[in-house]
Amino acid sequence: MLECLFIGLDGDYNSSLYRVSKKGNKIYNKILLNIKKLKQKYPEYFKNKVVFNTVLHDKNSLLDVLEFMKSNFDKIPKLSEL
């Protein structure tokens, strides 16, 4: 079993526009759906083992990211800059 699961998510839809598939397709909705499924099916694992990694860039802000992660996942992400 994994010690931690790191998920790259830069905030809401507009904040995550740099995260695309290998073919260049927007993948935010698919990622968000999978995160919600994981949280619903394995709530304890999600609470204790899931860590978000957020990259700060010109399409998001620290305050918006923190509010989004807290209100949607009750998490504070690891942060890095582009």
Side-chain angles (χ1 to χ4, degrees), residues 16-56:
S16 298
L17 291 176
Y18 286 124
R19 295 195 184 262
V20 296
S21 70
K22 289 181 182 180
K23 294 181 180 182
N25 298 322
K26 295 174 186 166
I27 56 173
Y28 177 82
N29 291 331
K30 185 174 185 177
I31 291 171
L32 196 61
L33 178 64
N34 287 330
I35 292 169
K36 288 179 179 183
K37 285 180 184 179
L38 177 65
K39 184 179 178 184
Q40 182 179 10
K41 190 166 184 177
Y42 304 102
E44 283 301 309
Y45 179 84
F46 188 88
K47 178 181 175 186
N48 297 312
K49 300 292 185 177
V50 172
V51 178
F52 287 95
N53 181 60
T54 296
V55 176
L56 298 176

Side-chain angles (χ1 to χ4, degrees), residues 7-18:
I7 300 173
L9 190 66
D10 300 337
D12 64 13
Y13 180 83
N14 289 327
S15 297
S16 298
L17 291 176
Y18 286 124

